[in-house]
Amino acid sequence: APTALILMQLSPGMSPIWYYVFQASTGLVNWIAVALSAIADVVAPHWRAPAIGLFLSGFLLGISIAPTMALFLNNFQLSILAAVVIHSGVWLTVFGMPETLPREVAMQARELRLEQEREQQLQDAREDAGATNNHGADGNTDRANRNSSSMLLASKNLLYHLALGAWRLLTKPIKAMSILNRNKLFRLLSLLAFFSGMVSSADQTLLVYYVEDKLGFNAVDVSHMFLIIGILGIVAQAVVLKPMNDCLGEKLLVAVCFSFGTINNIMYGVATTKSTIFWAVAIGAFNGMAFPTISAIKANNVEVTEQGRIQGALYSLQALANGFGPVFLRYVDHICKTEHVSPFGEG
């Protein structure tokens, strides 16, 4: 995507659709889910929540630094810097990052996958045999049209395999995410992650427009806001998360994090001054400890060969929440504007 931005600035006539195409392609493989799986492979269970929090604090460091760069670099220079950083990450991953999954575990997972594929092939063969026998019986009723019946049978078999392949392609993500429905704990954690993701994605998407429109934030105020989010987020993930996890346990820690998030969003709604927003984002930074804790709980309750699957399913659910959250809360904002149903105003 940064490369597309560079090309668009070098060639003003270039369609911006290319940027959105490249940006959308990043969702084909969620590298964060892979990174979380790698952390789960090499970190002891009681250290997984702090380790994931420390990993996520790197993003918060970027969030705190990135807005300030706009004060010193122009758009073209920022695009070049972003492209260099991303390409450097690719080469560092390829040549510098070791394989985290032990060889014997990788072989076990591969054998399990091959066994499932063999079972699926046997089931397909039985279904094909049944379909062939049925069609064959129909063909035997008229010996004079044997050739045309054979062609019709081949066409039906081809269409059957195409439909079966399309159905498997469509249902494969659903089967992979079925791990979230394994037990009551996973279902509850999935609901918590989904609703939390809805709110956090809406905050990230709409907050800047909200504070600029209602409270007169300018570029400096927005930079200060993201600086607070980044710095306190790093403190929460890298410093506070581990002792709170040891003291409260994972279940109470998730409850405390959601309490911070509730207070944070109430303050957004009732804010009439810029300082209230600054205090709100400071409190909301501690809500970010919920996601690594939920990720660690799920990683601790699956087999070592399922770490990639559980993290991928959790991030797929997060992506769904990220898409649905801003749309839903934007609708709530519209209702509050037109119907005046909120006692605190449209916030």
Side-chain angles (χ1 to χ4, degrees), residues 29-89:
V29 178
N30 193 312
W31 73 271
I32 298 179
V34 178
L36 296 183
S37 301
I39 291 174
D41 289 336
V42 299
V43 176
H46 64 280
W47 281 99
R48 281 174 181 165
I52 294 173
L54 187 62
F55 166 75
L56 295 178
S57 67
F59 291 95
L60 297 169
L61 178 62
I63 289 174
S64 63
I65 293 176
T68 62
M69 292 183 178
L71 302 176
F72 309 103
L73 303 176
N74 59 37
N75 292 337
F76 185 71
Q77 292 170 334
L78 286 172
S79 300
I80 292 178
L81 178 61
V84 169
V85 170
I86 290 178
H87 285 89
S88 299

Side-chain angles (χ1 to χ4, degrees), residues 211-256:
V211 296
E212 288 179 345
D213 183 39
K214 299 302 175 185
L215 298 174
F217 269 52
N218 53 34
V220 175
D221 295 325
V222 172
S223 298
H224 290 163
M225 183 177 67
F226 279 105
L227 188 63
I228 293 171
I229 293 174
I231 293 176
L232 290 184
I234 293 171
V235 172
Q237 304 281 5
V239 179
V240 179
L241 178 57
K242 180 61 171 66
M244 286 191 68
N245 188 39
D246 294 339
C247 180
L248 300 177
E250 292 170 337
K251 182 177 73 172
L252 286 179
L253 178 56
V254 172
V256 169

Side-chain angles (χ1 to χ4, degrees), residues 95-113:
F95 295 104
M97 183 176 176
E99 179 59 58
T100 59
L101 191 65
R103 183 176 180 82
E104 59 274 11
V105 177
M107 292 296 296
Q108 179 184 354
R110 188 176 295 111
E111 291 174 0
L112 180 61
R113 185 169 60 250

